[in-house]
Structures are given as C-alpha cells and as structure tokens.
Amino acid sequence: MQDIADAQGTPAYVYSRATLSRHCEKLKQAFAAYPTLACFAVKANSNLHYLREVFSHGLGADLVSLGELERARIAGVDPRKVVFSGVGKREDEIVAALDMDILSFNVESEFELANIARLAAERGVVANISLRINPNIDAKTNPKITTGLYNTKFGLPEALARRLIGEIGEMSQLRLVGLACHIGSQITDLAPLGQAALRMAAFCAEVRSDAPDLKLINMGGGLGIRYRDENPPGLDDYAQTLISAIRPTGLKLVIEPGRVLAGNTGVLLTRVIGVKTTPDKTFVVVDGAMNDLLRPSMYDSFHDIVAVDEAGPGAEVIADFVGPVCETGDTLGKNRAVALPSPGDLFVVRGCGAYAASMSFQYNSRPRAPELLVDGSEVRVIRRRETLQDLWSLEQEAEARPLRSACNSL
Ligand code: LLP
C-alpha cells in the first residue's frame, strides 16, 4: 500500500481483481443447482473496468439510469442479461432500454407501465416487463435502505399488480416475462428474504394462468456483508433459501447482487494530515472524507479502519477519524482505539468496494479520488484522480440565451 500511496497519492480506492473474481465465481457455484441469472447491481460499483471484470464472469446488469445503462453497454454487457429497475424511469431511459432490447424492465408503478406501453407502441416493439412487487416485508436492516415496506416508494402492492396483470394481457406491446422483488440492502437475516421468496412463489401460482409468458422470478439483491461484527448468511444458505422457495414455480431465478460481490473487494486508502484534541475528544484528521465515503455520515455505517503499518509501541487513544470537509457529520469512523498516529501515516478504510466511489461527490471542491485495481503484481489506474480543472471544466462558458417567458418561480 505504501508504494501505491507514494505513486498515486491519497485518498484512493484500491480494489482487488482476484477478490472480485473469486466472489463472482463463488456466487455462480452457490446457485449452480438451479437456473439462475445474476445481474450485478451497477450502482454498487459502476467503474467500467470493474464492470468488465464482472461481466467477464457471465453476469448481467441491474440498472437504474441511462448512465448506468451506457456504462454497462460500454463494458460489454449482454443486453439479454440486463434488467432495469427504479421508480422514476424517464422517457429517454425507457427508449434507450427498448432499443437495447433488454431482458426486462422492472415496473414499479401504473404510470410507468403506461409510459412503457406507449413508447413501445410508438416504436413498434414489444417491451419485456416484470412487475416489481412490494411484499410489505421488513428486511430488518437500516430504514434508509429498506425497500419492501408500504411506507417506501418501491414496487407495487400485490392487489394492484394483480389488476395490472389483467390489463397487460390485453396489451400487445407488453410481454409480462417476470415478477420481481427487492426488499432492502445489507440484509443479515435470511428469514425476511425467504419469506419474500415464498410470497413471490405464491403470488406467481395465483396469477400464472393470466400470465402465460412468465419465465423469471427476480428476487433482487440485498445480501449483507460483514463490516464489523455482523454475521451475514453464507452464499450457500442464501442460494438454498431462494432456490427452495422458487423451485416449485419452475421459473428462472434472477438475482441482483451488489454489495455481496463488491463490498469487500476494496478499501479507501487515506493518509493522516494531523491529530487534534478537544477537551472532549481526539480527532485523527485524514485526507479522505465524506465525499469519498458517504456511508458513515449517511447511514451511521461502520467501516473498519486499520493502519497500513503495524503500530510500534506507543500510547493508544480513542479517536474519531474525520475528513477535512466542513461538516460536523464528516466522519469515517467514531471512537476507534488506535495507536496515536503521526502525520503521513497511512490507513485503509475497509469495505469500500461497494457504494463508496459510486456515491462519491465533489463537495468542498474536492476532486474525486482515483480508483486503482490491483491485479497480481500490477496495479492499474482504472479511474484517474480528478484534477482541479475537472472541477470547473463544465463551467467554462456562460453564454446568455434569451428567455421566452419570465422565470416566475425563481
Ligand atoms: N436491486 C435493486 C432494485 C436495488 O435497489 C439494489 C440496491 C440492489 C439490487 C443491490 O442491493 P445490494 O445487493 O447491493 O444490497 N447506498 C446504500 C445501499 C443502497 C442500495 C440501493 N439498492 C449503502 O451504501 O448501504
């Protein structure tokens, strides 16, 4: 890590190709007993080179935006392994996915169904769709990443889905190929996932006669990983739970894993700027911040933070690891026991392969950190560090354009 930090600077995301590839293969093995398509949740890590590696293992993509669709396309995804989720697909996004002839749209509302039907009809194509069911099952995870309850914006209640299935039967521009469900993320208890899968299988049996083209049951993603002391289920138990519930339907199983594949493939490498104490606390101020890793500030998530070099003998302190961003919430880790660090010391923040770089931003005009892929004895820069010029490159021109009407709401 020392030479990576010297050559590439800090902060930096550092991923392991070997770990990613091992995770992909282990997932495939776990589901080998049943026809299953794994569509990687691109939002977890959307770097093109990272995606190429994922797709090279035969995985597809779960997308939620045109940007993700284009990334997946550039990275060589097989369009017949693409599912498109999300509660607010815009027309241009629907059109792009229709043109790509993806495996399925995961439809989340009545208005979306109408939009897809209209756009497919205009283009003279048939859209493959799945209805995303909201089973009103609590995934027992952080409320901010819970998606299977009626108080969230996701999916369709079964009663509405049942009615829509009747209507879809009459619409020649729609083909109902699947039923989908995703109840949340960082799930560490298999019970709600199993319950949701049984619910989906039962719902499938109920509506089967009205849905002759059904071939997929999509159980989403959500399997958690260990960040601290969680005990997430293993891949085999996870696969067993889903397969045993879905097998009676005979339909192909689709899953949309993100974190379980990517989370533990990478770290955020960061350097100590200095240590300060207040009457209340000790702060280790590092050069990585909430804009590089939002999870602790946003969800109070725990990420292990470890020194790159073994600490020598010296005083241990309890410290908060914080970044330079001007927000009290800019924290990477709270109350960590650590040998008193010195300026320049390197630390890695673990569990940064998923939802770290992909959620990064430039607040406080901080250029985004590079992404580096360690591959055996080599390291590849798969995203260069942003330069200061990158920060304002979209602000070069400020050409005046006439307004056709007054901006009353301004
Ligand atoms: N499928 C759908 C429809 C999703 O909404 C998600 C995640 C996934 C699959 C992948 O879930 P996973 O296997 O990664 O749990 N930013 C948050 C996580 C948000 C997840 C959103 N949806 C975090 O950092 O914890």
Side-chain angles (χ1 to χ4, degrees), residues 71-132:
R71 280 182 176 274
R73 190 210 305 273
I74 293 167
V77 74
D78 175 350
R80 303 300 306 160
K81 295 182 179 175
V82 169
V83 295
F84 196 161
S85 313
V87 296
K89 302 176 188 74
R90 290 189 320 247
E91 289 198 1
D92 59 326
E93 296 179 314
I94 294 171
V95 166
L98 284 174
D99 288 349
M100 197 172 167
D101 196 18
I102 62 168
L103 178 63
S104 180
F105 290 88
N106 290 342
V107 173
E108 306 220 17
S109 65
E110 213 170 345
F111 71 75
E112 183 188 344
L113 193 70
N115 285 345
I116 296 176
R118 176 173 48 79
L119 293 165
E122 278 170 23
R123 321 207 120 220
V125 295
V126 177
N128 295 318
I129 59 162
S130 302
L131 292 184
R132 177 168 172 183

Side-chain angles (χ1 to χ4, degrees), residues 227-228 267-272 284 286 288 293 296 301-308 319-323 331-339 341 346-352:
Y227 288 104
R228 185 186 209 164
V267 298
L268 177 68
L269 178 61
T270 186
R271 202 183 272 284
V272 175
V284 178
V286 294
L293 176 63
S301 309
F302 180 96
H303 284 256
D304 206 11
I305 303 178
V306 289
V308 166
D320 283 9
F321 281 76
V322 297
T331 304
L332 297 180
K334 284 187 179 155
N335 299 322
R336 303 302 170 88
V338 62
L346 290 172
F347 282 83
V348 293
V349 184
R350 292 229 163 104
C352 285

Side-chain angles (χ1 to χ4, degrees), residues 41 43-44 62 85 132 145 147 182 184-186 220-223 256-260 295 299 355 359:
K43 65 173 81 72
D62 159 49
S85 313
R132 177 168 172 183
I145 48 177
T147 54
H182 170 80
S185 193
Q186 183 55 14
L223 187 61
E256 302 170 346
R259 189 188 321 263
V260 72
R295 303 193 70 258
Y299 314 110
Y355 305 112
M359 291 176 76

Side-chain angles (χ1 to χ4, degrees), residues 224-276:
I225 61 171
R226 175 178 299 208
Y227 288 104
R228 185 186 209 164
D229 51 9
E230 304 92 332
N231 234 336
L235 283 174
D236 289 335
D237 287 345
Y238 170 62
Q240 211 29 58
T241 302
L242 295 189
I243 291 172
S244 62
I246 301 306
R247 193 186 286 281
T249 68
L251 299 183
K252 184 170 186 170
L253 175 61
V254 178
I255 51 172
E256 302 170 346
R259 189 188 321 263
V260 72
L261 292 177
N264 282 330
T265 64
V267 298
L268 177 68
L269 178 61
T270 186
R271 202 183 272 284
V272 175
I273 297 176
V275 178
K276 65 181 282 187

Side-chain angles (χ1 to χ4, degrees), residues 109-380:
S109 65
E110 213 170 345
F111 71 75
E112 183 188 344
L113 193 70
N115 285 345
I116 296 176
R118 176 173 48 79
L119 293 165
E122 278 170 23
R123 321 207 120 220
V125 295
V126 177
N128 295 318
I129 59 162
S130 302
L131 292 184
R132 177 168 172 183
I133 308 298
N134 181 327
N136 203 27
I137 291 174
D138 188 351
K140 302 204 190 91
T141 180
N142 186 312
K144 287 200 172 123
I145 48 177
T146 292
T147 54
L149 288 174
Y150 286 163
N151 64 4
T152 71
K153 64 184 175 180
F154 297 98
L156 302 155
E158 281 179 26
L160 175 55
R162 214 173 286 125
R163 171 161 74 70
L164 294 179
I165 289 171
E167 293 174 17
I168 293 164
E170 311 286 302
M171 298 162 92
S172 56
Q173 62 279 29
L174 297 179
R175 186 184 299 122
L176 181 64
V177 295
L179 298 172
C181 171
H182 170 80
I183 61 171
S185 193
Q186 183 55 14
I187 300 172
T188 52
D189 178 358
L190 274 183
L193 278 171
Q195 216 186 323
L198 288 170
R199 228 6 280 149
M200 291 295 283
F203 185 70
C204 174
E206 248 177 71
V207 301
R208 198 68 179 266
S209 56
D210 294 324
D213 297 320
L214 270 193
K215 53 182 186 183
L216 312 170
I217 289 213
N218 181 337
M219 287 308 304
L223 187 61
I225 61 171
R226 175 178 299 208
Y227 288 104
R228 185 186 209 164
D229 51 9
E230 304 92 332
N231 234 336
L235 283 174
D236 289 335
D237 287 345
Y238 170 62
Q240 211 29 58
T241 302
L242 295 189
I243 291 172
S244 62
I246 301 306
R247 193 186 286 281
T249 68
L251 299 183
K252 184 170 186 170
L253 175 61
V254 178
I255 51 172
E256 302 170 346
R259 189 188 321 263
V260 72
L261 292 177
N264 282 330
T265 64
V267 298
L268 177 68
L269 178 61
T270 186
R271 202 183 272 284
V272 175
I273 297 176
V275 178
K276 65 181 282 187
T277 51
T278 71
D280 274 8
K281 267 196 178 284
T282 299
F283 293 99
V284 178
V285 184
V286 294
D287 59 6
M290 65 188 290
N291 71 300
D292 305 301
L293 176 63
L294 183 59
R295 303 193 70 258
S297 321
M298 185 152 171
Y299 314 110
D300 268 331
S301 309
F302 180 96
H303 284 256
D304 206 11
I305 303 178
V306 289
V308 166
D309 285 325
E310 287 275 306
E316 265 221 346
V317 290
I318 303 290
D320 283 9
F321 281 76
V322 297
V325 166
C326 296
E327 297 273 341
T328 308
D330 176 25
T331 304
L332 297 180
K334 284 187 179 155
N335 299 322
R336 303 302 170 88
V338 62
L340 190 67
S342 306
D345 284 359
L346 290 172
F347 282 83
V348 293
V349 184
R350 292 229 163 104
C352 285
Y355 305 112
S358 64
M359 291 176 76
S360 66
F361 53 102
Q362 296 170 323
Y363 184 44
N364 279 202
S365 286
R366 290 169 49 85
R368 262 178 290 230
E371 295 177 86
L372 312 168
L373 184 69
V374 172
D375 185 4
S377 57
E378 286 178 349
V379 59
R380 280 196 290 146

